[in-house]
Amino acid sequence: MHVNRISIPPNHPRAKSLHTREALVDGYRRGLVVAEGLIAHGRGEAYDYLIGECTTKTAQRAIKAAAAMLLLSRHPVISVNGNAAALCPGAIVELAKATGAAIEINLFYRTEERERAIKAELETHGAENVLGVGSRASATIPELQSERRRVDPDGIYSADTVFVPLEDGDRTEALVKMGKKVITIDLNPLSRTAKAAHITIVDNIVRAMPALAEAAHQLNGSKSLKRIVDGFDNKKNLRESLKIIRGVI
Amino acid sequence: MHVNRISIPPNHPRAKSLHTREALVDGYRRGLVVAEGLIAHGRGEAYDYLIGECTTKTAQRAIKAAAAMLLLSRHPVISVNGNAAALCPGAIVELAKATGAAIEINLFYRTEERERAIKAELETHGAENVLGVGSRASATIPELQSERRRVDPDGIYSADTVFVPLEDGDRTEALVKMGKKVITIDLNPLSRTAKAAHITIVDNIVRAMPALAEAAHQLNGSKSLKRIVDGFDNKKNLRESLKIIRGVI
């Protein structure tokens, strides 16, 4: 690395975004994140700017529906990539515990070294049984070419609901085709992932993941879970997110 | 690095964008680009998607005006950072030759090692006298806190026109305050840089830089340079770029 660290003034108008960026670069240095993941994060930064860098009411509705869907599922799995592990490992583990979801590592740029680094990071934050590492990812998602096709038979492969924050369009579509319920976090409401998923949270993962864990705690034991899920309209919700972006532009 | 290289299928809908990304990651590996530069590129990718990943007519107008302004200038300087050097070193050198502009390296995350790597990359592509490296950057832009304040007395400090592709808002504003004409390339028409510059090319640098060099060749010796510059309205042009984005969203 060829970087002089600079300090971010606390009164900088975009201090929070800059700190998040530094957390990701730190994850890169620790081998959790790949260079392409930094670029993908930058895309997210641009869309976050366009929705006002806050959790909108539209996103809050999707978060509530997602928490309800995870609580209703028989075998929910949270699919974790490098960026997610670098940005909010604690909230991922908290969400898994609040919903009984399994955690599975699934990487586009897959190496066992990186899988192990991500597993260790999640375990530091309290994860107990991290799926998908190395030879555990022995099942295959049909029609998918990338390394993301390899999944754990005890995890994503047999899941009824898969939560795929920061996903690519190909795999989201493939998981839907397999008959799974898919929840995603995607700041671009026009992306293939956003459109293909059943519930799309148009929000920054650093805000949405803790909010989702909190919502799961609050809804645990609620009798209205099915009503919340059934009342959620993803297409309508995406249209509303687009409206918010249009307001900024 | 912890990456399995993947090949990009030539028929992939976004193959060009993916190749550009790989060029930048390669620049990162060669010490030209910093991790934060990868994130900044990702932001650009998002806005490029929103303008349709093409050089719009609006951008073409700005390119023509920018070429004319550079040709009219007494002492134009092209300010080069790591991302610019990684993405279009040949076009930068070609533009410098076509307009008589000097090339100066100016980095937000400044190290002499990185300056030297960027200088070598530009020289490989034919640059002859690269300014701003090491102790040459002995002058200071007033009111600027970042490392970008340090400039070459023979370059940006004494320039009448500074071309700052991929710039930050603080320095753009400071250069304008110093009385310089400022030209920029910025995919976000809402950014402070885009608004503060005299001519803003809302386009991807990999398309705009060769187009600018080409325009400078074509306009060289033209008698209508002043008319072209005077007839250009940056505010109007930025509004039109926003309209294009609104059409996509």
Side-chain angles (χ1 to χ4, degrees):
Chain A
M1 278 302 308
H2 310 268
V3 172
N4 284 335
R5 290 289 96 208
I6 53 163
S7 61
I8 299 159
N11 61 347
H12 190 288
R14 303 195 53 260
K16 188 149 192 216
S17 172
L18 295 173
H19 282 297
T20 302
R21 186 189 294 186
E22 293 305 315
L24 197 72
V25 172
D26 182 58
Y28 177 79
R29 297 213 172 93
R30 294 187 293 132
L32 307 174
V33 170
V34 287
E36 287 78 359
L38 299 179
I39 296 178
H41 180 76
R43 282 207 309 286
E45 276 189 7
Y47 290 110
D48 199 16
Y49 179 87
L50 293 177
I51 63 159
E53 293 181 331
C54 64
T55 300
T56 64
K57 282 192 183 165
T58 311
Q60 279 165 7
R61 264 199 300 279
I63 286 167
K64 194 173 175 186
M69 185 180 272
L70 288 169
L71 287 167
L72 280 173
S73 300
R74 180 186 43 80
H75 179 22
V77 176
I78 306 172
S79 178
V80 175
N81 73 356
N83 284 25
L87 291 176
C88 50
I92 290 168
V93 175
E94 206 190 320
L95 178 66
K97 292 190 173 168
T99 59
I103 296 176
E104 175 166 343
I105 297 173
N106 184 278
L107 309 178
F108 192 85
Y109 298 97
R110 185 192 288 261
T111 67
E112 203 163 328
E113 186 186 358
R114 198 153 82 89
E115 288 174 344
R116 278 197 304 267
I118 292 169
K119 181 170 184 275
E121 177 72 4
L122 293 167
E123 285 169 349
T124 299
H125 286 82
E128 275 157 23
N129 181 23
V130 177
L131 305 176
V133 176
S135 58
R136 287 198 69 153
S138 58
T140 301
I141 301 176
E143 293 176 51
L144 198 60
Q145 300 307 312
S146 78
E147 280 297 303
R148 289 202 121 173
R149 74 186 179 280
R150 295 206 281 136
V151 291
D152 196 313
D154 298 330
I156 291 170
Y157 195 77
S158 54
D160 54 347
T161 299
V162 191
F163 175 34
V164 289
L166 314 182
E167 188 63 38
D168 59 274
D170 280 349
R171 198 171 74 124
T172 305
E173 288 170 358
L175 289 169
V176 170
K177 269 193 194 163
M178 286 176 84
K180 300 181 188 304
K181 293 285 182 188
V182 177
I183 302 165
T184 192
I185 299 178
D186 195 324
L187 276 159
N188 177 5
L190 292 165
S191 79
R192 280 192 299 149
T193 296
K195 288 176 186 166
H198 297 96
I199 299 178
T200 304
I201 302 165
V202 180
D203 197 10
N204 191 321
I205 191 172
V206 302
R207 294 188 301 266
M209 194 65 82
L212 193 47
E214 174 64 24
H217 280 302
Q218 281 178 6
L219 289 174
N220 205 340
S222 159
K223 282 175 187 158
S224 40
L225 295 178
K226 197 168 175 314
R227 195 179 47 75
I228 292 168
V229 170
D230 290 345
F232 180 78
D233 182 340
N234 204 43
K235 278 197 183 125
K236 188 177 160 217
N237 222 46
L238 287 173
R239 278 199 303 274
E240 285 175 20
S241 295
L242 275 175
K243 246 190 233 171
I244 291 164
I245 292 178
R246 280 197 203 102
V248 172
I249 293 179
Chain B
M1 277 302 307
H2 311 266
V3 173
N4 284 336
R5 290 290 96 207
I6 53 162
S7 62
I8 299 159
N11 62 347
H12 190 287
R14 303 195 53 258
K16 188 152 191 215
S17 172
L18 295 174
H19 282 296
T20 302
R21 187 188 293 186
E22 293 305 315
L24 198 72
V25 172
D26 182 58
Y28 176 78
R29 298 211 172 96
R30 294 187 293 132
L32 307 173
V33 170
V34 287
E36 286 79 358
L38 299 178
I39 295 177
H41 180 76
R43 282 206 308 285
E45 276 188 8
Y47 290 110
D48 200 16
Y49 179 87
L50 293 177
I51 64 160
E53 293 181 331
C54 66
T55 300
T56 63
K57 281 191 183 164
T58 311
Q60 280 165 7
R61 264 200 300 279
I63 286 167
K64 195 173 175 186
M69 186 181 271
L70 288 168
L71 288 166
L72 280 173
S73 300
R74 178 185 46 78
H75 181 23
V77 176
I78 306 171
S79 178
V80 175
N81 72 356
N83 283 25
L87 291 177
C88 50
I92 290 168
V93 175
E94 205 190 320
L95 177 66
K97 292 190 174 168
T99 59
I103 295 176
E104 176 166 343
I105 297 174
N106 184 277
L107 308 179
F108 192 85
Y109 298 97
R110 184 191 288 262
T111 67
E112 203 162 328
E113 186 186 359
R114 198 153 82 91
E115 286 174 345
R116 280 198 303 268
I118 292 169
K119 181 169 183 276
E121 178 72 3
L122 293 167
E123 284 169 350
T124 300
H125 287 83
E128 276 158 21
N129 180 24
V130 177
L131 305 176
V133 177
S135 59
R136 288 196 70 154
S138 58
T140 301
I141 300 176
E143 293 177 49
L144 199 59
Q145 300 306 313
S146 79
E147 280 297 302
R148 288 202 121 171
R149 74 185 180 280
R150 295 205 283 137
V151 290
D152 197 313
D154 299 331
I156 291 170
Y157 194 76
S158 54
D160 54 347
T161 301
V162 191
F163 175 34
V164 289
L166 315 184
E167 189 62 37
D168 59 274
D170 280 350
R171 197 170 76 124
T172 306
E173 289 170 358
L175 290 169
V176 170
K177 269 193 195 164
M178 285 176 84
K180 299 180 189 306
K181 293 284 182 191
V182 177
I183 302 164
T184 192
I185 299 177
D186 195 324
L187 276 159
N188 177 5
L190 292 166
S191 78
R192 280 192 299 149
T193 296
K195 288 177 187 167
H198 297 96
I199 299 177
T200 304
I201 302 165
V202 180
D203 197 9
N204 191 322
I205 191 171
V206 302
R207 295 187 301 266
M209 194 65 81
L212 194 47
E214 174 64 25
H217 280 302
Q218 281 180 5
L219 290 174
N220 205 341
S222 160
K223 282 176 186 158
S224 40
L225 296 178
K226 197 169 175 314
R227 194 177 49 74
I228 293 168
V229 171
D230 290 345
F232 180 79
D233 181 340
N234 204 45
K235 278 199 183 123
K236 189 178 158 216
N237 222 47
L238 287 174
R239 277 198 303 273
E240 284 175 21
S241 295
L242 275 175
K243 246 190 233 170
I244 291 163
I245 291 178
R246 280 196 203 103
V248 172
I249 292 179

mmCIF file of all heavy atoms in Angstrom, chain B residues 116-156:
data_model
loop_
_atom_site.group_PDB
_atom_site.id
_atom_site.type_symbol
_atom_site.label_atom_id
_atom_site.label_comp_id
_atom_site.label_asym_id
_atom_site.label_seq_id
_atom_site.Cartn_x
_atom_site.Cartn_y
_atom_site.Cartn_z
ATOM 1 N N ARG B 116 6.604 8.808 -8.313
ATOM 2 C CA ARG B 116 7.601 8.280 -9.260
ATOM 3 C C ARG B 116 6.989 7.212 -10.169
ATOM 4 O O ARG B 116 7.282 7.143 -11.353
ATOM 5 C CB ARG B 116 8.812 7.726 -8.507
ATOM 6 C CG ARG B 116 9.804 8.810 -8.060
ATOM 7 C CD ARG B 116 11.162 8.211 -7.712
ATOM 8 N NE ARG B 116 11.035 7.190 -6.678
ATOM 9 C CZ ARG B 116 11.148 7.422 -5.363
ATOM 10 N NH1 ARG B 116 11.406 8.632 -4.925
ATOM 11 N NH2 ARG B 116 11.003 6.439 -4.502
ATOM 12 N N ALA B 117 6.127 6.367 -9.594
ATOM 13 C CA ALA B 117 5.479 5.312 -10.406
ATOM 14 C C ALA B 117 4.599 5.934 -11.492
ATOM 15 O O ALA B 117 4.572 5.470 -12.639
ATOM 16 C CB ALA B 117 4.653 4.386 -9.501
ATOM 17 N N ILE B 118 3.881 6.996 -11.132
ATOM 18 C CA ILE B 118 2.994 7.656 -12.092
ATOM 19 C C ILE B 118 3.814 8.375 -13.158
ATOM 20 O O ILE B 118 3.501 8.319 -14.350
ATOM 21 C CB ILE B 118 2.049 8.634 -11.345
ATOM 22 C CG1 ILE B 118 1.068 7.834 -10.477
ATOM 23 C CG2 ILE B 118 1.301 9.530 -12.324
ATOM 24 C CD1 ILE B 118 0.269 8.671 -9.497
ATOM 25 N N LYS B 119 4.896 9.027 -12.734
ATOM 26 C CA LYS B 119 5.785 9.705 -13.679
ATOM 27 C C LYS B 119 6.329 8.682 -14.699
ATOM 28 O O LYS B 119 6.313 8.923 -15.912
ATOM 29 C CB LYS B 119 6.941 10.349 -12.908
ATOM 30 C CG LYS B 119 7.952 11.132 -13.739
ATOM 31 C CD LYS B 119 8.873 11.927 -12.815
ATOM 32 C CE LYS B 119 9.853 12.786 -13.591
ATOM 33 N NZ LYS B 119 11.053 12.061 -14.014
ATOM 34 N N ALA B 120 6.768 7.536 -14.205
ATOM 35 C CA ALA B 120 7.330 6.517 -15.100
ATOM 36 C C ALA B 120 6.272 6.034 -16.092
ATOM 37 O O ALA B 120 6.557 5.821 -17.273
ATOM 38 C CB ALA B 120 7.862 5.347 -14.276
ATOM 39 N N GLU B 121 5.023 5.863 -15.595
ATOM 40 C CA GLU B 121 3.940 5.409 -16.471
ATOM 41 C C GLU B 121 3.690 6.429 -17.587
ATOM 42 O O GLU B 121 3.512 6.062 -18.757
ATOM 43 C CB GLU B 121 2.666 5.208 -15.638
ATOM 44 C CG GLU B 121 1.434 4.787 -16.424
ATOM 45 C CD GLU B 121 1.499 3.356 -16.921
ATOM 46 O OE1 GLU B 121 2.478 2.653 -16.604
ATOM 47 O OE2 GLU B 121 0.583 2.945 -17.661
ATOM 48 N N LEU B 122 3.690 7.709 -17.233
ATOM 49 C CA LEU B 122 3.451 8.758 -18.239
ATOM 50 C C LEU B 122 4.620 8.822 -19.227
ATOM 51 O O LEU B 122 4.416 9.011 -20.428
ATOM 52 C CB LEU B 122 3.250 10.107 -17.545
ATOM 53 C CG LEU B 122 1.963 10.220 -16.698
ATOM 54 C CD1 LEU B 122 2.011 11.455 -15.810
ATOM 55 C CD2 LEU B 122 0.732 10.254 -17.604
ATOM 56 N N GLU B 123 5.842 8.646 -18.718
ATOM 57 C CA GLU B 123 7.019 8.684 -19.605
ATOM 58 C C GLU B 123 7.010 7.509 -20.576
ATOM 59 O O GLU B 123 7.396 7.654 -21.733
ATOM 60 C CB GLU B 123 8.300 8.725 -18.761
ATOM 61 C CG GLU B 123 8.522 10.117 -18.162
ATOM 62 C CD GLU B 123 9.625 10.169 -17.103
ATOM 63 O OE1 GLU B 123 10.097 9.090 -16.681
ATOM 64 O OE2 GLU B 123 9.991 11.287 -16.696
ATOM 65 N N THR B 124 6.548 6.360 -20.096
ATOM 66 C CA THR B 124 6.403 5.192 -20.982
ATOM 67 C C THR B 124 5.492 5.527 -22.161
ATOM 68 O O THR B 124 5.668 5.013 -23.258
ATOM 69 C CB THR B 124 5.806 4.004 -20.191
ATOM 70 O OG1 THR B 124 6.693 3.689 -19.127
ATOM 71 C CG2 THR B 124 5.606 2.783 -21.068
ATOM 72 N N HIS B 125 4.531 6.411 -21.904
ATOM 73 C CA HIS B 125 3.593 6.798 -22.963
ATOM 74 C C HIS B 125 4.022 8.084 -23.677
ATOM 75 O O HIS B 125 3.216 8.702 -24.363
ATOM 76 C CB HIS B 125 2.176 6.928 -22.389
ATOM 77 C CG HIS B 125 1.567 5.588 -22.084
ATOM 78 N ND1 HIS B 125 1.824 4.901 -20.919
ATOM 79 C CD2 HIS B 125 0.769 4.780 -22.834
ATOM 80 C CE1 HIS B 125 1.188 3.743 -20.941
ATOM 81 N NE2 HIS B 125 0.539 3.643 -22.081
ATOM 82 N N GLY B 126 5.274 8.503 -23.470
ATOM 83 C CA GLY B 126 5.816 9.602 -24.280
ATOM 84 C C GLY B 126 5.913 10.957 -23.610
ATOM 85 O O GLY B 126 6.317 11.933 -24.250
ATOM 86 N N ALA B 127 5.550 11.046 -22.325
ATOM 87 C CA ALA B 127 5.663 12.347 -21.642
ATOM 88 C C ALA B 127 7.133 12.715 -21.486
ATOM 89 O O ALA B 127 7.977 11.847 -21.238
ATOM 90 C CB ALA B 127 4.976 12.291 -20.280
ATOM 91 N N GLU B 128 7.424 14.014 -21.631
ATOM 92 C CA GLU B 128 8.822 14.418 -21.603
ATOM 93 C C GLU B 128 9.246 15.169 -20.345
ATOM 94 O O GLU B 128 10.372 15.052 -19.894
ATOM 95 C CB GLU B 128 9.134 15.267 -22.843
ATOM 96 C CG GLU B 128 9.452 14.356 -24.039
ATOM 97 C CD GLU B 128 9.254 15.033 -25.371
ATOM 98 O OE1 GLU B 128 9.266 16.268 -25.420
ATOM 99 O OE2 GLU B 128 9.071 14.296 -26.379
ATOM 100 N N ASN B 129 8.355 15.995 -19.811
ATOM 101 C CA ASN B 129 8.757 16.798 -18.649
ATOM 102 C C ASN B 129 7.595 16.802 -17.655
ATOM 103 O O ASN B 129 6.711 17.640 -17.730
ATOM 104 C CB ASN B 129 9.102 18.229 -19.102
ATOM 105 C CG ASN B 129 9.520 19.100 -17.942
ATOM 106 O OD1 ASN B 129 9.974 18.600 -16.910
ATOM 107 N ND2 ASN B 129 9.339 20.408 -18.096
ATOM 108 N N VAL B 130 7.623 15.854 -16.738
ATOM 109 C CA VAL B 130 6.508 15.712 -15.800
ATOM 110 C C VAL B 130 6.790 16.532 -14.539
ATOM 111 O O VAL B 130 7.790 16.306 -13.846
ATOM 112 C CB VAL B 130 6.279 14.223 -15.453
ATOM 113 C CG1 VAL B 130 5.157 14.080 -14.426
ATOM 114 C CG2 VAL B 130 5.948 13.429 -16.714
ATOM 115 N N LEU B 131 5.922 17.478 -14.254
ATOM 116 C CA LEU B 131 6.106 18.395 -13.120
ATOM 117 C C LEU B 131 5.473 17.852 -11.841
ATOM 118 O O LEU B 131 4.717 16.890 -11.875
ATOM 119 C CB LEU B 131 5.462 19.753 -13.456
ATOM 120 C CG LEU B 131 5.914 20.434 -14.749
ATOM 121 C CD1 LEU B 131 5.120 21.711 -14.978
ATOM 122 C CD2 LEU B 131 7.412 20.727 -14.709
ATOM 123 N N GLY B 132 5.817 18.502 -10.724
ATOM 124 C CA GLY B 132 5.112 18.266 -9.463
ATOM 125 C C GLY B 132 5.656 17.140 -8.616
ATOM 126 O O GLY B 132 5.113 16.860 -7.543
ATOM 127 N N VAL B 133 6.732 16.476 -9.058
ATOM 128 C CA VAL B 133 7.231 15.313 -8.325
ATOM 129 C C VAL B 133 8.198 15.759 -7.221
ATOM 130 O O VAL B 133 9.091 16.574 -7.454
ATOM 131 C CB VAL B 133 7.917 14.316 -9.274
ATOM 132 C CG1 VAL B 133 8.512 13.144 -8.502
ATOM 133 C CG2 VAL B 133 6.913 13.816 -10.317
ATOM 134 N N GLY B 134 7.993 15.209 -6.014
ATOM 135 C CA GLY B 134 8.900 15.437 -4.875
ATOM 136 C C GLY B 134 9.055 16.907 -4.552
ATOM 137 O O GLY B 134 8.063 17.632 -4.437
ATOM 138 N N SER B 135 10.311 17.392 -4.438
ATOM 139 C CA SER B 135 10.559 18.760 -3.974
ATOM 140 C C SER B 135 10.186 19.802 -5.019
ATOM 141 O O SER B 135 10.168 20.997 -4.728
ATOM 142 C CB SER B 135 12.037 18.909 -3.596
ATOM 143 O OG SER B 135 12.837 18.613 -4.733
ATOM 144 N N ARG B 136 9.878 19.373 -6.227
ATOM 145 C CA ARG B 136 9.426 20.342 -7.245
ATOM 146 C C ARG B 136 8.106 20.999 -6.837
ATOM 147 O O ARG B 136 7.819 22.117 -7.255
ATOM 148 C CB ARG B 136 9.213 19.643 -8.602
ATOM 149 C CG ARG B 136 10.516 19.244 -9.277
ATOM 150 C CD ARG B 136 10.293 18.941 -10.746
ATOM 151 N NE ARG B 136 9.980 20.155 -11.496
ATOM 152 C CZ ARG B 136 10.209 20.323 -12.789
ATOM 153 N NH1 ARG B 136 10.761 19.338 -13.477
ATOM 154 N NH2 ARG B 136 9.885 21.434 -13.403
ATOM 155 N N ALA B 137 7.301 20.266 -6.068
ATOM 156 C CA ALA B 137 5.999 20.811 -5.653
ATOM 157 C C ALA B 137 6.199 21.699 -4.432
ATOM 158 O O ALA B 137 5.753 21.399 -3.329
ATOM 159 C CB ALA B 137 5.030 19.665 -5.353
ATOM 160 N N SER B 138 6.848 22.853 -4.633
ATOM 161 C CA SER B 138 7.267 23.689 -3.502
ATOM 162 C C SER B 138 6.348 24.886 -3.280
ATOM 163 O O SER B 138 6.506 25.614 -2.305
ATOM 164 C CB SER B 138 8.698 24.169 -3.727
ATOM 165 O OG SER B 138 8.773 24.884 -4.951
ATOM 166 N N ALA B 139 5.411 25.137 -4.182
ATOM 167 C CA ALA B 139 4.463 26.243 -3.995
ATOM 168 C C ALA B 139 3.193 25.703 -3.326
ATOM 169 O O ALA B 139 2.969 24.487 -3.288
ATOM 170 C CB ALA B 139 4.129 26.891 -5.327
ATOM 171 N N THR B 140 2.362 26.629 -2.826
ATOM 172 C CA THR B 140 1.187 26.199 -2.058
ATOM 173 C C THR B 140 -0.073 26.902 -2.555
ATOM 174 O O THR B 140 -0.076 28.115 -2.759
ATOM 175 C CB THR B 140 1.392 26.522 -0.561
ATOM 176 O OG1 THR B 140 2.554 25.838 -0.115
ATOM 177 C CG2 THR B 140 0.203 26.065 0.264
ATOM 178 N N ILE B 141 -1.132 26.138 -2.731
ATOM 179 C CA ILE B 141 -2.441 26.728 -3.034
ATOM 180 C C ILE B 141 -3.023 27.245 -1.718
ATOM 181 O O ILE B 141 -3.161 26.474 -0.767
ATOM 182 C CB ILE B 141 -3.395 25.680 -3.649
ATOM 183 C CG1 ILE B 141 -2.800 25.124 -4.945
ATOM 184 C CG2 ILE B 141 -4.769 26.290 -3.902
ATOM 185 C CD1 ILE B 141 -3.636 24.014 -5.567
ATOM 186 N N PRO B 142 -3.371 28.555 -1.647
ATOM 187 C CA PRO B 142 -3.881 29.102 -0.384
ATOM 188 C C PRO B 142 -5.182 28.423 0.053
ATOM 189 O O PRO B 142 -5.964 27.963 -0.772
ATOM 190 C CB PRO B 142 -4.147 30.585 -0.715
ATOM 191 C CG PRO B 142 -3.434 30.865 -1.995
ATOM 192 C CD PRO B 142 -3.321 29.568 -2.718
ATOM 193 N N GLU B 143 -5.383 28.363 1.374
ATOM 194 C CA GLU B 143 -6.638 27.913 1.999
ATOM 195 C C GLU B 143 -6.947 26.438 1.773
ATOM 196 O O GLU B 143 -8.070 26.004 1.991
ATOM 197 C CB GLU B 143 -7.847 28.727 1.486
ATOM 198 C CG GLU B 143 -7.829 30.172 1.895
ATOM 199 C CD GLU B 143 -9.001 30.936 1.294
ATOM 200 O OE1 GLU B 143 -10.138 30.471 1.399
ATOM 201 O OE2 GLU B 143 -8.749 31.997 0.689
ATOM 202 N N LEU B 144 -5.987 25.675 1.308
ATOM 203 C CA LEU B 144 -6.257 24.257 1.062
ATOM 204 C C LEU B 144 -5.468 23.436 2.077
ATOM 205 O O LEU B 144 -4.280 23.675 2.297
ATOM 206 C CB LEU B 144 -5.846 23.910 -0.374
ATOM 207 C CG LEU B 144 -6.434 22.637 -0.964
ATOM 208 C CD1 LEU B 144 -7.948 22.702 -0.978
ATOM 209 C CD2 LEU B 144 -5.913 22.441 -2.375
ATOM 210 N N GLN B 145 -6.165 22.474 2.740
ATOM 211 C CA GLN B 145 -5.509 21.713 3.813
ATOM 212 C C GLN B 145 -4.857 20.427 3.302
ATOM 213 O O GLN B 145 -3.876 19.971 3.870
ATOM 214 C CB GLN B 145 -6.535 21.360 4.899
ATOM 215 C CG GLN B 145 -7.192 22.576 5.537
ATOM 216 C CD GLN B 145 -6.168 23.568 6.073
ATOM 217 O OE1 GLN B 145 -5.217 23.207 6.754
ATOM 218 N NE2 GLN B 145 -6.333 24.841 5.745
ATOM 219 N N SER B 146 -5.398 19.829 2.269
ATOM 220 C CA SER B 146 -4.921 18.508 1.873
ATOM 221 C C SER B 146 -3.576 18.585 1.168
ATOM 222 O O SER B 146 -3.081 19.662 0.840
ATOM 223 C CB SER B 146 -5.941 17.837 0.944
ATOM 224 O OG SER B 146 -5.819 18.350 -0.369
ATOM 225 N N GLU B 147 -3.006 17.422 0.956
ATOM 226 C CA GLU B 147 -1.708 17.333 0.268
ATOM 227 C C GLU B 147 -1.794 17.875 -1.163
ATOM 228 O O GLU B 147 -0.775 18.148 -1.791
ATOM 229 C CB GLU B 147 -1.239 15.872 0.247
ATOM 230 C CG GLU B 147 -0.617 15.426 1.560
ATOM 231 C CD GLU B 147 0.642 16.218 1.893
ATOM 232 O OE1 GLU B 147 1.571 16.214 1.079
ATOM 233 O OE2 GLU B 147 0.691 16.861 2.960
ATOM 234 N N ARG B 148 -3.007 18.011 -1.648
ATOM 235 C CA ARG B 148 -3.176 18.533 -2.998
ATOM 236 C C ARG B 148 -2.803 20.022 -3.075
ATOM 237 O O ARG B 148 -2.719 20.574 -4.162
ATOM 238 C CB ARG B 148 -4.625 18.337 -3.465
ATOM 239 C CG ARG B 148 -4.937 16.879 -3.765
ATOM 240 C CD ARG B 148 -6.119 16.734 -4.706
ATOM 241 N NE ARG B 148 -5.702 16.014 -5.901
ATOM 242 C CZ ARG B 148 -6.515 15.574 -6.850
ATOM 243 N NH1 ARG B 148 -7.798 15.800 -6.768
ATOM 244 N NH2 ARG B 148 -6.053 14.948 -7.904
ATOM 245 N N ARG B 149 -2.612 20.678 -1.913
ATOM 246 C CA ARG B 149 -2.249 22.100 -1.944
ATOM 247 C C ARG B 149 -0.845 22.319 -2.513
ATOM 248 O O ARG B 149 -0.534 23.379 -3.029
ATOM 249 C CB ARG B 149 -2.344 22.713 -0.542
ATOM 250 C CG ARG B 149 -1.224 22.301 0.402
ATOM 251 C CD ARG B 149 -1.459 22.845 1.807
ATOM 252 N NE ARG B 149 -0.391 22.472 2.735
ATOM 253 C CZ ARG B 149 -0.297 21.290 3.331
ATOM 254 N NH1 ARG B 149 -1.199 20.363 3.104
ATOM 255 N NH2 ARG B 149 0.704 21.027 4.155
ATOM 256 N N ARG B 150 0.014 21.318 -2.398
ATOM 257 C CA ARG B 150 1.409 21.485 -2.834
ATOM 258 C C ARG B 150 1.506 21.347 -4.350
ATOM 259 O O ARG B 150 1.176 20.313 -4.918
ATOM 260 C CB ARG B 150 2.296 20.443 -2.154
ATOM 261 C CG ARG B 150 2.343 20.660 -0.636
ATOM 262 C CD ARG B 150 3.600 20.095 -0.029
ATOM 263 N NE ARG B 150 3.581 18.663 0.123
ATOM 264 C CZ ARG B 150 4.599 17.857 -0.154
ATOM 265 N NH1 ARG B 150 5.721 18.340 -0.650
ATOM 266 N NH2 ARG B 150 4.495 16.563 0.036
ATOM 267 N N VAL B 151 1.962 22.422 -4.992
ATOM 268 C CA VAL B 151 2.025 22.419 -6.461
ATOM 269 C C VAL B 151 3.371 22.945 -6.955
ATOM 270 O O VAL B 151 4.132 23.559 -6.217
ATOM 271 C CB VAL B 151 0.875 23.261 -7.076
ATOM 272 C CG1 VAL B 151 -0.470 22.583 -6.873
ATOM 273 C CG2 VAL B 151 0.856 24.669 -6.509
ATOM 274 N N ASP B 152 3.619 22.694 -8.220
ATOM 275 C CA ASP B 152 4.884 23.075 -8.850
ATOM 276 C C ASP B 152 4.824 24.552 -9.253
ATOM 277 O O ASP B 152 3.891 24.968 -9.941
ATOM 278 C CB ASP B 152 5.093 22.183 -10.087
ATOM 279 C CG ASP B 152 6.527 22.185 -10.582
ATOM 280 O OD1 ASP B 152 7.111 23.288 -10.703
ATOM 281 O OD2 ASP B 152 7.047 21.100 -10.852
ATOM 282 N N PRO B 153 5.822 25.382 -8.845
ATOM 283 C CA PRO B 153 5.809 26.804 -9.235
ATOM 284 C C PRO B 153 5.850 26.993 -10.758
ATOM 285 O O PRO B 153 5.295 27.967 -11.269
ATOM 286 C CB PRO B 153 7.069 27.381 -8.577
ATOM 287 C CG PRO B 153 7.828 26.248 -7.989
ATOM 288 C CD PRO B 153 6.955 25.035 -7.952
ATOM 289 N N ASP B 154 6.451 26.049 -11.461
ATOM 290 C CA ASP B 154 6.487 26.128 -12.931
ATOM 291 C C ASP B 154 5.235 25.532 -13.578
ATOM 292 O O ASP B 154 5.071 25.602 -14.798
ATOM 293 C CB ASP B 154 7.699 25.350 -13.472
ATOM 294 C CG ASP B 154 9.011 25.928 -12.964
ATOM 295 O OD1 ASP B 154 9.044 27.152 -12.698
ATOM 296 O OD2 ASP B 154 9.970 25.158 -12.811
ATOM 297 N N GLY B 155 4.387 24.918 -12.771
ATOM 298 C CA GLY B 155 3.219 24.247 -13.323
ATOM 299 C C GLY B 155 1.925 24.899 -12.867
ATOM 300 O O GLY B 155 1.640 26.043 -13.217
ATOM 301 N N ILE B 156 1.146 24.163 -12.057
ATOM 302 C CA ILE B 156 -0.178 24.635 -11.650
ATOM 303 C C ILE B 156 -0.115 26.023 -11.024
ATOM 304 O O ILE B 156 -0.972 26.868 -11.288
ATOM 305 C CB ILE B 156 -0.827 23.604 -10.672
ATOM 306 C CG1 ILE B 156 -1.174 22.320 -11.438
ATOM 307 C CG2 ILE B 156 -2.072 24.186 -10.005
ATOM 308 C CD1 ILE B 156 -1.588 21.146 -10.564
#
